[in-house]
Amino acid sequence: MSADELYMLRCLELASLGAGYVSPNPMVGAVIVADGKIIGEGYHQHYGEAHAEVNAIHNVLSQYPNAEALLQRSTMYVSLEPCAHFGKTPPCSDLILKYQIPKVVIGSRDPYAEVNGKGISKLQATGIEVIEGVLKQECLNLNKRFFTRIAKQRPYIILKWAQTADGYFAPEQGQHWISSESAKILTHRWRSEEDAVLVGYRTALSDDPQLNVRAWTGRNPKRIVIDRNLSLPKSLHLFDQSQETLVFNAFKTEIDQQIKYLELENFDTLLPQSICYQLYLMDVQSLIIEGGAQTLELFIKAGLWDEARVFTGSEIWAKGIKSPKLDAKTAEKHHIGTDVLTIYHREI
């Protein structure tokens, strides 16, 4: 691995620390190197706050009395193209120009229309050397949620379920826990990393899920439930006002403290498409769909999914509700407690 790749790898490590906190912005990390030594690091920590490049430069300024001279002979590594427009914060490219950093190494371009190539052009126009495409695929993969939202105008969609060894999703009546405690903890970690988690009417009614991260440390996602006729009892955990909850229905749009009722018209024909577009408009960048089987199948049939995470337990039932079927190749397999976690990626 080259020196450029090693520094970019550090950018990616830093960027990942922003998971769950920067959406709908991308995760970005930056490293500043002078005389073969890292002199500053930074990452985008919270949406609306300073970007990675700003934090890295300020890190240098706070440590070295000769910081400006160091910056003038340094190289900045950044996992995503520096912005060139005013958004929540000033353009990062302007700060790079201000401190006369002579070389910038970029992992991938930013596909957002206000940035795409403009940050690079702005730097090059003043004589700054720009190298792009270092660990490009790794940088693209880190921000697949951001890139999906920009390109497809919908959230990055993760399907998640547990199934028995013989492929059953749930018993015909009642409920029965399939996966292990380790799988539960991992699921709560996943929730902390994504913007929202969705369940259908039957899952809400039969399982009464809380859809929070009580088994992990992190922020709770938005909770989403499909309740066409607004018939779910208000005694369910989903209506406890403990976190933001969206209720997609066919009758009203209304806000009740943390509960937001959103009326949709196309329940019979374009329900998953309507949900995805509404979430896009609300800056929801990623979504986990946790059930039930009909809700998962609805999104699978519509081709609206990007990744599936399936826990397979050791029990054999021989009857019950069959698990959803995917037309996809296995990407990864892991052992989680007593379960096997299989991760699929949708082929386009």
Side-chain angles (χ1 to χ4, degrees):
M1 184 173 280
S2 68
D4 281 354
E5 290 173 332
L6 285 171
Y7 291 130
M8 189 59 68
L9 191 61
R10 178 58 181 162
C11 289
L12 291 169
E13 291 173 347
L14 291 165
S16 66
L17 297 176
Y21 298 99
V22 302
S23 177
N25 282 352
M27 294 176 280
V28 184
V31 170
I32 300 176
V33 177
D35 305 325
K37 175 186 173 184
I38 293 178
I39 60 171
E41 296 183 335
Y43 67 97
H44 186 30
Q45 299 179 19
H46 294 278
Y47 173 69
E49 296 183 5
H51 289 185
E53 301 93 320
V54 176
N55 288 330
I57 289 173
H58 286 170
N59 185 222
V60 176
L61 295 173
S62 68
Q63 292 187 81
Y64 298 93
N66 62 334
E68 293 196 17
L70 280 173
L71 289 170
Q72 289 172 17
R73 63 173 188 268
S74 68
T75 298
M76 173 178 280
Y77 294 83
V78 59
S79 56
L80 190 70
E81 177 182 5
C83 61
H85 70 294
F86 281 89
K88 294 285 184 181
T89 61
C92 294
S93 54
D94 285 359
L95 198 63
I96 294 171
L97 296 175
K98 175 182 176 180
Y99 287 101
Q100 302 176 47
I101 297 174
K103 181 178 178 181
V104 178
V105 179
I106 296 167
S108 68
R109 290 197 176 202
D110 187 333
Y112 182 54
E114 294 292 328
V115 182
N116 196 349
K118 296 177 183 177
I120 292 172
S121 296
K122 190 172 186 177
L123 296 175
Q124 290 176 327
T126 63
I128 291 176
E129 180 185 358
V130 177
I131 297 174
E132 60 175 305
V134 175
L135 295 188
K136 180 179 178 180
Q137 193 55 50
E138 289 85 346
C139 293
L140 292 173
N141 186 61
L142 177 73
N143 279 308
K144 56 192 175 185
R145 295 157 182 80
F146 174 71
F147 295 135
T148 296
R149 183 179 178 274
I150 296 297
K152 300 183 179 180
Q153 297 190 333
R154 65 163 176 82
Y156 184 87
I157 299 173
I158 301 166
L159 310 179
K160 177 263 169 185
W161 72 84
Q163 63 186 20
T164 63
D166 54 345
Y168 288 96
F169 179 89
E172 293 174 349
Q173 292 184 340
Q175 58 177 314
H176 184 83
W177 194 265
I178 296 174
S179 54
S180 65
E181 183 66 19
S182 297
K184 175 183 177 181
I185 293 171
L186 181 56
T187 295
H188 285 214
R189 174 187 166 183
W190 289 340
R191 290 175 184 171
S192 76
E193 296 170 345
E194 311 303 338
D195 286 352
V197 55
L198 179 148
V199 295
Y201 173 88
R202 292 182 181 179
T203 296
L205 188 62
S206 63
D207 294 355
D208 191 15
Q210 298 181 56
L211 302 184
N212 58 24
V213 297
R214 61 195 180 278
W216 191 258
T217 300
R219 66 103 178 94
N220 288 318
K222 290 180 174 65
R223 301 185 293 200
I224 304 173
V225 62
I226 301 171
D227 184 12
R228 178 174 186 164
N229 298 316
L230 295 174
S231 56
L232 286 172
K234 297 302 181 286
S235 59
L236 295 177
H237 285 119
L238 288 171
F239 300 105
D240 63 11
Q241 299 287 357
S242 64
Q243 64 202 78
E244 185 177 353
T245 302
L246 311 179
V247 183
F248 286 114
N249 68 91
F251 292 96
K252 69 177 182 181
T253 296
E254 183 180 289
I255 297 177
D256 174 20
Q257 299 179 68
Q258 290 272 68
I259 314 298
K260 298 179 181 180
Y261 297 90
L262 296 173
E263 180 182 353
L264 297 179
E265 296 179 356
N266 301 311
F267 261 86
D268 294 321
T269 54
L270 298 172
L271 178 59
Q273 291 88 345
S274 296
I275 289 173
C276 286
Y277 188 61
Q278 285 298 320
L279 295 179
Y280 166 76
L281 294 176
M282 298 173 69
D283 282 339
V284 173
Q285 188 163 262
S286 59
L287 172 68
I288 302 177
I289 300 176
E290 293 196 10
Q294 289 187 359
T295 301
L296 289 161
E297 290 283 10
L298 192 67
F299 281 82
I300 291 170
K301 289 179 180 177
L304 291 172
W305 67 281
D306 300 285
E307 184 178 329
R309 302 171 181 177
V310 183
F311 291 106
T312 301
S314 58
E315 294 187 14
I316 295 176
W317 288 1
K319 63 179 181 178
I321 299 171
K322 293 292 288 185
S323 299
K325 299 296 182 184
L326 294 172
D327 182 15
K329 293 181 180 179
T330 302
E332 307 167 38
K333 281 200 174 186
H334 308 275
H335 287 277
I336 308 296
T338 57
D339 306 308
V340 175
L341 169 62
T342 305
I343 300 178
Y344 302 89
H345 292 280
R346 181 167 172 250
E347 296 179 11
I348 301 175

